[in-house]
Amino acid sequence: MPTTLTRSLLTVLIPGLVAVAPWLVWLVEHTPATLGADQSAVLANALIFALVVVAGSTCEGLGTYLEHRWDGKLESEHQVQEHWFRYLNYCGEREPVAFRYLSRLVTTLYFELAMLFATPTFVAGATLLAAVRFPNFRFWIASGGVLVGVAFVLYFRYQARQTHEGMCKVRKALNLPATNAG
């Protein structure tokens, strides 16, 4: 779970909003649903916020699962688990500058992984909105939506893989001393 407001915003709220935005637009524009806005704007906003948080947390959770799988694939090359525990157990007087860099990489990775799962949902909803708006072009809109969705998935997967491997390399390069903490 994110530990800072910036990390929460980048890894949960933004991907959650990306995932649900076109679906909320579709729901309000093409159904009688008002999400409670006609009776209580506060209730409607709370409902939307909760939906965004749930969607974003789901995307983040799926990303964490994928990261764990990638850790296993890089274990023999980078000794991921050993260097991860050394990093977590570090108790020197001064924290290496690389720790701040790793913290930024973690935020970047979790953003990329969450967006990997949020963007297909966004593209599907945006494609539905376009198809409803331009019914004569549904085939082309759907085809374009599939291509754009695949492109986003490939892009964010590539970026996340690069960030993940970079984190593994940095932790390994730190070569922190083993501790008996724990």
Side-chain angles (χ1 to χ4, degrees), residues 19 22 28 34 41 47 64 69 98 104 107 117-120 122 124 131 155 162:
V28 172
T34 62
L47 177 65
T64 300
R69 289 186 48 142
R104 284 194 302 267
T107 301
F117 293 99
T119 52
F122 171 82
Y155 171 75
Q162 297 303 305

Side-chain angles (χ1 to χ4, degrees), residues 18-19 23 114-126 145 149-150 152-153 156:
V18 166
W23 297 99
M115 290 299 288
L116 170 67
F117 293 99
T119 52
T121 305
F122 171 82
V123 170
V150 169
F152 274 132
V153 166
F156 282 113

Side-chain angles (χ1 to χ4, degrees), residues 19-158:
V20 303
W23 297 99
L24 289 173
V25 170
W26 179 83
L27 186 68
V28 172
E29 285 187 359
H30 300 286
T31 71
T34 62
L35 302 175
D38 56 339
Q39 296 172 352
S40 171
V42 172
L43 179 62
N45 289 330
L47 177 65
I48 292 168
F49 182 76
L51 180 62
V52 166
V53 169
V54 168
S57 295
T58 301
C59 292
E60 184 192 30
L62 291 168
T64 300
Y65 171 77
L66 192 55
E67 178 196 15
H68 179 72
R69 289 186 48 142
W70 290 348
D71 283 348
K73 290 180 180 179
L74 293 176
E75 181 62 37
S76 63
E77 182 181 351
H78 293 290
Q79 300 77 43
V80 176
Q81 200 165 24
E82 174 189 344
H83 292 293
W84 174 240
F85 287 122
R86 282 186 181 189
Y87 170 77
L88 291 176
N89 283 317
Y90 180 77
C91 55
E93 285 186 34
R94 296 178 71 200
E95 183 179 272
V97 173
F99 280 26
R100 282 179 283 173
Y101 177 66
L102 281 171
S103 179
R104 284 194 302 267
L105 283 180
V106 166
T107 301
T108 300
L109 175 65
Y110 283 177
F111 174 76
E112 292 163 345
L113 287 169
M115 290 299 288
L116 170 67
F117 293 99
T119 52
T121 305
F122 171 82
V123 170
T127 301
L128 175 65
L129 285 172
V132 168
R133 175 76 172 95
F134 304 105
N136 294 337
F137 299 102
R138 283 187 180 153
F139 172 77
W140 297 109
I141 291 169
S143 300
V146 169
L147 290 174
V148 169
V150 169
F152 274 132
V153 166
L154 293 175
Y155 171 75
F156 282 113
R157 186 178 185 278
Y158 173 79

